[in-house]
Each structure stands twice: as structure tokens, then as C-alpha cells.
Amino acid sequence: MRILLAEDDALLGDGLRAGLRQQGFQVDWVRTGDAAERELRAQPYAAAVLDLGLPVMDGMDVLAAVRRAGVRLPVLVLTARDAVPDRVRGLNGGADDYVVKPVDLDELAARLRALVRRSHGVAQESLRVGELELDPAARSVTHQGRPVMLAAREFDLLHALMLNAGRVMTREQLEQHLYSWGQEVESNAIEVHVHHLRRKLGTDVIRTIRGIGYTVGQQRP
Amino acid sequence: MRRHRTRSIRARVLALVLGAAMVLWAGAATFTWVNARHELDELLDAHLAQSAALLVAQQLPEFEEHQGIDAPVLHRYAPRVAFQVFHEGRLAVRSVNAPMAPMLDPAAAGKNEFRSVRIDHDAWRVFATRGAASDVLVLVAEKLDARADILTAVLRSTLGPSLILLPLLGLALWWSVRRGLKPIDDIGRALAARPAGDFSAIDRHDAPAELTPMLDALDSLFERMAALLETERRFTADAAHELRTPLSAIRAQAQVALAESDPELRQRALSATVQGCDRAARLMDQLLALSRLDAQASSAGQLVKFAPLVRDVVAALAPGALDKQQDLRFESAVGERALRGDAQLLSVLVRNIAGNAVRYAPRGATILVGLALAADPDRLMLTVENSGDMPGPEALARLGDRFYRVLGTDEPGSGLGLSIVRRIAQLHGASVEFAQSARLGGLQVTVNFPATP
């Protein structure tokens, strides 16, 4: 899952990026409010971690701007402002969660995952499509009851497809979900990963929609 | 508990009033006594004279032979009154209680004369008069202790009640003074009952007018304390708030290190953790320094040679500047000139300003630390300027605000350094100015100290 981290403090931002990467997230890190607003409007992120005390543009203003622009992704506010009125203002202003520093990395990751699955209308943490079960926290996959070993990118790809089960995802969408800035993407990278997945899971799990993209699960009406 | 005896307004007022009352009463008593005695003397002397006149008017032929006529006791005072009538030098009539010998020496007695004499251990007041027609000498006398008795009776009747009244007066005064000063007691109790953090204005409802200046001063004091406390609270809240991010950074990096299998990345995370701790420690030091400075009213009054002090600080910063290939220079035009103040605080001030220059100026920048004297007004100027970028006008205006740090700086810093500089400057009567360096183009910080003669 690709998330945007907006935090101006060098040490903290670096720590959060490394920690979230360890938890399997792809992290894009910006340090000013205007950059955060710009990126949130331009790129599809699964979620965002937003510090409120950002330079140039305050976190609350960023939130208001992107919500006005119709960006619906879940936003977790991470801030030093701990007073109740601040929390209320944050949540009322469009944040989906409000966490006060210092925060435990595991907790942060868990909250992000919860936000992401909710935004896809999924209630449980584990995703289930047919006989395929995926646990994002444990980063494990079982197929027909048997555990399956997947590479990191393969897992991410399958995760993205399962989150959007029943919908078709284009190659571009999948690339954007999987890769953060500065990472070189081979033009056929997605096809290669799909090919590997099919070898491990069987050919009927991921369906190709010619000229459009890929999908898993039943088509939604 | 108060160990020393406080001067009580009540006691003093009471003492003054009672004292004055007693003095006045004693004066009145004395006056009454003297006056009554005088009047009594006059009255009774007149009575003596009149008795004598009556006797003279008696028919004289009846006094041919000595007869001890016993004058009847007509009045309870009568035994104290005596008379003698001499006809041609011989005792003609006398009262029973009069002696045989003349009470006064006849030769010495004048026509109408009052004399006080001693007869048989008693004091008598004698009046002597001679008859106009023949050689008659009448002596009428009164025992003086009779007069004393009358005087005592008169005084008792006039002053006696006062003696009873005086304690009552005292009681009444004590009670009314007590009542009168009750508002002071009430205010004292109300103030004592105030909870520690209550700085509201004092209720003036029952306050006496005399206390108004003091109550005004107290209200003003409360206002100042409330403001001070508010600044303290705000500062503590700010400080706690500011510590959250450094702590969060330490935690995040430590967790990354714990979960990291790659040794190189783990090392990186661990040194970042240490870096974060150092930063937090530095922030704590700055906060403590600032809070101590806040509490200080003025700086110590030592004479400090400024040029050597600045040179020492710059020398300590030189290695850091060398690491960044910066050109750090010190020029002094003030010789042995001294400043009045606290050497340690001045050192902190110079270190913060020059240290900032080293930290925030880019690599290879030039940093100039200069000391100069200026006239009109007489001052000693410390200037620290560097080449490189200038902060924008908005940032410039906020430099020195607590916790404010110019954006885009990757260097670790607490944002308190310039607040501390400002406060130390204030304690020394100096001003701090930020401008663009004409020579180097970057930020220029000038501290203007009042020059000591």
C-alpha cells in the first residue's frame, strides 16, 4: 500500500518512513504543507499520515483543501496538539483518525491498515476472495488452506487487487499503488508479477480483462 | 505564627483615646478640686464673718462679768465652730469648745482678719473683728478639718460618679474601636481564606476608606502575579508540546532499529536515536536556561572585558566551522573596554548567536564576528554576520520568538536560542537587531550594549 507521509521534522519523518516501510508500506515523504496538498491531489494513495504543524501550509488547511477537491482517501492526523478541542477540530475537519505523538509504530501501522480496509468497505482485517485469504498485518497468504510464499511486490499486487475485489484495476493504477517516487518501474513489471502469482495460485484467481487490466473475485453488479 | 509583636492599630487607638480621656479627666478633677476648695473657703469665710458681725451686734452691757455662755449646739457642724468675745481685753463670752486663751494674739489681730492657727494640735481658721462702738474683739473660728470633710463630700459627689464611669467609658471605647476596626479583620480573614491560585480583585464592599491605597496596591499585585503565572503556564505548555516531536522521533527510530534485520540500516536507526536524545537534551537545557532567566530581575554587576570573552567563544566554535569549511573570523575595535553584567550569561549570548551562524550558514560561508564602539548613543556593538541566504521578511520578524525556527533548516535546533539571547540582552539593557549584512549578504545580528564609561 502506498501512503503519503507529511512531516517536517527530519528525524521523525525519517524514522516513520523507515518504520512504515518495515511494515510493508510504500512511503512517499513530504515536508511542507503545499507539497502534501499537491501530492494528495495528484497521486492515488491508499492513506495519508498528516502532521499538523507543517510549514508553508498548516495540516488542517491541507486537509480542508483536499477534501474540498473531492479527495476521499483516509487521513490519519499525527500531531503534538493533544488538547480535546484540537482533536475534535481535527476529526470534524475531515480526518479519519487523530493520533498524538509519540506514537508506537506498530499501532500507527495497524491504524493505517484499518483505515484502508474500511475505505474499501472491508470489515475484517483479513481479506478473503474465494479460497484465497490474505492477512495484511502478517503479510501472509493462504490459498485453499495452504500458505503461499510470495515476494514483497507480489504480495502488494495481490493485496491491491483483493482490496478492490470485483473491480478492474489498470496497469497504471497498479503501478501507482506499488511504487513510490524515485523507483524505476519496468514497463512490463506488472505482467511479470501477475505471471508469478498465477504460477503460485493457479490461473483462475487473477483474471485479465483485455485492453483494460486485471481483477480478482466476482464482478460487482 | 508571628514571633514579633505587631503594632496593633486597635491597641494604639485605644491607648491614645483612653490616655487622652484620662489626662482630660485628671485635669478636670484637679480643676474641680481647686475650684471647689476655693469656693468653699470663700463661702465659709463669709459665714465666719457673718457670725462675727452678729455677735458684735449683741448688747454689750451684758458682758460685764465673765460668763461662760454656752452657745447651744445648733448644727451638726457646730462643735467645729468656736467663738470668743473679748471686752476691754477680758474674755466676755465664749462657746463651750473655745479655749480660755485668745485664739489669736489680740495685739496682733487687725480689724478684719482671717488667720489660720494651730490650737492644741488642731488647725483652726480664725476671723477677728473689732466692734466699732467700744473695745470689743470678736474671734470666730472654724476647725479646718471641717472644711476638709465638706470638700471631700463635694468632691465625692462630683467626681465619684466619674470613677465609676471611667471603666465603663473604657469598655465602651474598647468595644467601639473593635467594631470600628472589624472591616480590617474581615478583609484579613477573606484574604487568608483565598485559595492559592486566586488572583481576583478584592471585594471592596465593606472596606474602610483608609485601606483603599493598600487594597489598590494589592489588586495591582494580584494582576501582575496572575499575568506572571499565565506566562509560566503558557511556557510550560509550550515546552511540553515542543518535546513531543523529539520524543516521537526517538521512539520511531528505536522501533525501526528493533525491527531492522539489515545491520547497516539498524546502525543508522540507532545513531538517529542517539541524535534525537541529544536534541531533546539540548532542548531541556535551553528551556531550563530560559526559565531561570525569566525569574531573574537583573544581571550581576561585574565588570567584564568583552573582547577576550568573545574571542574565547569564537575559538570554541572554530572546529565546527572548520568541519563545514566555513571562514570564521573575529575583529575587535574595542580594546580593553568592559561591560557591566554577568560574564557567564554574556558568554551564552555570544555562543548562541555565533553558534547559530555556524549552524545555519551554508558550507563554505564566511562568518564575521565583530566588536565596535559607536557614539550617539554611546554603545558597544557586537555584530555577527554571515554570507548565504537571508531569511524572508516574515521569518525575520519572528526570529527570537520562542520555539520559532526558520523553515527549511535541516540543522538540529530547539528554536529557543534566540529567545535566550533576547532575554540576556534585556537583562543587560541591550537591544538586539536583525538585518541583512551589507558586506556578506546573509543575516546580520547586532547587539547594542550601553557603553560603560
Side-chain angles (χ1 to χ4, degrees), chain B residues 27 32 42 46 68 71 90 111 127 141 153 199 295 367 380 383 411 433:
Chain B
T32 307
E42 297 250 308
R90 281 182 302 129
K111 178 113 172 97
F127 180 69
F199 293 119
I367 304 170
L380 191 155
T383 315
E411 296 290 331
E433 282 155 21

Side-chain angles (χ1 to χ4, degrees), chain A residues 7-20 22 31 55-56 78-82 100-106, chain B residues 241-242 244-253 255-261 268 272-273 275-277 279 407-410:
Chain A
E7 168 62 61
D8 66 320
D9 186 273
L11 216 57
L12 178 58
D14 178 77
L16 287 176
R17 182 175 58 176
L20 287 173
Q22 281 174 341
R31 300 178 64 176
V56 183
L78 176 67
T79 177
R81 297 181 203 168
D82 66 332
V100 175
K101 298 177 193 173
V103 67
D104 183 282
L105 272 174
D106 295 330
Chain B
H241 181 276
E242 282 304 312
R244 285 187 181 280
T245 300
L247 281 175
S248 197
I250 293 169
R251 196 184 206 295
Q253 293 287 359
Q255 271 197 291
V256 167
L258 280 173
E260 188 55 65
S261 46
R268 189 175 166 282
T273 309
Q275 208 183 335
C277 289
R279 198 174 79 174
L407 309 168
T409 50
D410 271 344

Side-chain angles (χ1 to χ4, degrees), chain B residues 145-161:
Chain B
D145 65 13
R147 296 195 170 191
D149 285 346
I150 296 172
L151 185 62
T152 312
V154 167
L155 287 179
R156 196 166 45 238
S157 62
T158 54
L159 295 180

